Amino acid sequence: MWMNGKFVNWDDAKIHVLSHVIHYGSSFFEGIRCYKTARGSAIFRLDEHVKRLIFSARVFRAEIPYSYEEICEAIIDTIKENGLEACYIRPIAYRGYDDLNVNPLNNPVELTIAAYEWGSYLGKGAIESGIDVCVSSWRRSSPDTMPTMAKIGGAYMNSQLIKMEAITNGFSEGIALDSGGYISEGSGENIFLVHENIIYTPGINNSILAGVTRKSVMKLAADLGYEVKEGNIMREILYIADEIFFTGTAAEITPIRSVDKTIIGDGTPGKITKELQRAFFDIVRNGNDKYGWLTFIDGKERIFSMENITAG
Ligand code: PPE
């Protein structure tokens, strides 16, 4: 584990129980995958993830005490230090130990980076066969309460309610609506629907995390010639869609085979879903880096730069 600039053993990666983050959920984190591609180990869209980490912290007036470049290098060093070929990377910045009260401004911002092996997120066979999901009775926060574009620890209390309800009722995942009743996202995934050959996904104003996989899938879909529409989607489209799938770093592209026990299509992954999976896995498994989305661990010298990086 990389902790505040130093490597420490897994069992020694500890923080004080009176740290601000423990009491008030004040953390900013990322989930990133490193794939063992046919051309070597490579991190998928490292730049986008590190950028989002920095912006998530900025929303909460937290300055991570490492630069964009230093964080990118530290992530690569952590993978190398652990000798991992394929892994999940969890960088997490948090408000540490000092005054314990709601005001976080006096608490230090610390950064830890962990890398470990992590398999299928939504269960064995989920990518190949799809999963059964429900619409959650819990909604996503309205935009003037919890900022959903920032990936922050505290927000995942809402995700936990969605996930626990789904699992308790025998589903793999729940789909939350936003405060206006439009489709938002899963507890840890973005959602896409196919209806009459058009691909729909909620917009960033529907209380979603602006997912890196979502952005990538939108690009792949457009390049495959599909029309992708972003915006308000009514719940009922879930029951008449031809195809539905989740996207996320952990979930990758996971087909949904039923919503609230209504079978989607013929209950197997749809044509467009499979086409997008093929395009995605061609990059992360075969290592065909046609968009420059891969950072090869043993690649040539890298230059990381925050230049041209904007929010969004
Ligand atoms: N929405 C939410 C709420 C979310 O947590 C994620 C990622 C996404 C959308 C997809 O974003 P992206 O990974 O950038 O495509 N969820 C991460 C954490 C999951 C967890 O259980 O922890 C992930 O997929 O790594």
Side-chain angles (χ1 to χ4, degrees):
M1 298 268 271
W2 186 100
M3 256 189 128
N4 297 318
K6 287 199 274 298
F7 284 114
V8 299
N9 288 328
W10 188 271
D11 291 341
D12 299 327
K14 294 176 181 162
I15 61 167
H16 198 281
V17 74
L18 293 184
S19 298
H20 195 275
V21 59
I22 299 223
H23 300 254
Y24 309 114
S26 34
S27 67
F28 321 99
F29 70 100
E30 277 304 316
I32 311 173
R33 268 194 200 263
C34 174
Y35 287 91
K36 185 184 174 193
T37 81
R39 294 176 189 186
S41 289
I43 307 173
F44 186 66
R45 307 206 76 172
L46 176 64
D47 52 345
E48 291 283 339
H49 285 286
V50 174
K51 176 176 93 177
R52 188 170 66 189
L53 177 70
I54 292 169
F55 286 139
S56 295
R58 188 177 295 175
V59 173
F60 285 81
R61 301 179 191 280
E63 182 95 31
I64 300 174
Y66 299 94
S67 69
Y68 170 82
E69 294 77 8
E70 286 168 337
I71 299 171
C72 290
E73 294 290 359
I75 287 171
I76 293 169
D77 291 348
T78 306
I79 296 169
K80 285 187 174 166
E81 179 77 14
N82 285 283
L84 294 162
E85 287 188 304
C87 59
Y88 186 75
I89 307 144
R90 171 57 55 87
I92 182 161
Y94 48 89
R95 294 281 192 177
Y97 176 67
D98 197 292
D99 273 2
L100 193 61
N101 61 60
V102 170
N103 175 17
L105 295 173
N106 299 322
N107 294 71
V109 179
E110 301 183 10
L111 179 68
T112 291
I113 302 166
Y116 44 90
E117 283 172 18
W118 209 23
S120 174
Y121 184 54
L122 292 161
K124 210 165 162 261
I127 301 272
E128 297 78 20
S129 318
I131 55 167
D132 302 306
V133 308
C134 59
V135 172
S136 184
S137 68
W138 295 101
R139 299 251 185 126
R140 275 297 190 212
S141 319
S142 67
D144 53 355
T145 56
M146 185 77 91
T148 56
M149 268 184 83
K151 195 167 169 68
I152 47 178
Y156 283 80
M157 292 305 279
N158 175 250
S159 286
Q160 289 174 50
L161 291 170
I162 295 163
K163 189 77 181 185
M164 287 189 291
E165 182 187 58
I167 298 289
T168 305
N169 291 328
F171 298 98
S172 299
E173 183 57 287
I175 299 166
L177 306 179
D178 70 10
S179 59
Y182 295 105
I183 299 171
S184 180
E185 60 178 348
S187 75
E189 314 86 2
N190 291 116
I191 190 166
F192 286 77
L193 302 90
V194 180
H195 183 54
E196 295 178 349
N197 243 25
I198 296 175
I199 303 176
Y200 295 88
T201 195
I204 52 167
N205 53 340
N206 291 115
S207 295
I208 64 163
L209 180 76
V212 173
T213 323
R214 171 184 179 273
K215 187 172 175 177
S216 310
V217 164
M218 287 170 79
K219 172 76 181 147
L220 294 175
D223 286 0
L224 287 168
Y226 292 105
E227 187 179 350
V228 186
K229 287 191 176 169
E230 229 184 317
N232 290 344
I233 306 171
M234 292 84 71
R235 173 175 179 170
E236 59 267 31
I237 303 187
L238 289 170
Y239 308 109
I240 56 174
D242 303 313
E243 305 180 28
I244 311 179
F245 57 89
F246 276 139
T247 66
T249 299
E252 299 174 309
I253 298 177
T254 300
I256 292 175
R257 63 179 173 209
S258 74
V259 179
D260 293 334
K261 310 233 160 139
T262 300
I263 304 290
I264 306 306
D266 64 1
T268 64
K271 176 180 147 287
I272 296 178
T273 309
K274 284 199 287 198
E275 220 177 316
L276 289 166
Q277 281 183 330
R278 268 196 301 277
F280 178 76
F281 288 121
D282 183 50
I283 297 170
V284 300
R285 288 187 185 157
N286 301 339
N288 285 332
D289 190 21
K290 42 184 171 289
Y291 297 102
W293 289 346
L294 300 177
T295 300
F296 286 91
I297 301 297
D298 291 319
K300 53 186 182 316
E301 205 171 306
R302 292 163 295 263
I303 301 163
F304 296 115
S305 165
M306 267 285 263
E307 250 174 56
N308 305 324
I309 290 183
T310 51

